[in-house]
Amino acid sequence: MSTTVTAKGQVTIPKAVRDLLGLKPGSQVSFRQTADGRIELLLASKTRKTRRFQKLRGHAGQGLSTDAIMALTRGEK
């Protein structure tokens, strides 16, 4: 199977390869060079390392209203 590289460096992965790897829209792939110089296309692992701030993301709970925040920034009580 072969495909053509566009001017932007994009390629269309043939359907047979997408089916074989289970690729769906939004899937991430990675490329790896083998010892003999070939390049392998791999389905990126779903168990990626968490970034250092990832565990801090989320919602802190019920917060201040916009009016309360504005009052604090203006020094009002």
Side-chain angles (χ1 to χ4, degrees):
M1 284 179 258
S2 66
T3 188
T4 303
V5 179
T6 69
K8 291 184 177 184
Q10 300 170 333
V11 296
T12 299
I13 301 171
K15 182 167 181 356
V17 175
R18 293 192 315 263
D19 291 345
L20 181 68
L21 290 175
L23 297 176
K24 307 272 187 245
S27 294
Q28 293 193 348
V29 296
S30 61
F31 300 92
R32 179 175 65 190
Q33 186 172 10
T34 62
D36 64 359
R38 292 180 300 124
I39 302 296
E40 294 180 336
L41 169 70
L42 307 164
L43 180 59
S45 173
K46 293 184 190 280
T47 57
R48 305 179 85 188
K49 279 197 239 178
T50 56
R51 296 186 177 142
R52 62 180 167 175
F53 295 113
Q54 184 67 30
K55 61 185 169 195
L56 301 174
R57 295 180 116 185
H59 193 276
Q62 188 69 5
L64 298 173
S65 68
T66 303
D67 290 335
I69 294 171
M70 294 305 294
L72 286 172
T73 59
R74 293 182 185 128
E76 302 170 358
K77 289 190 176 192

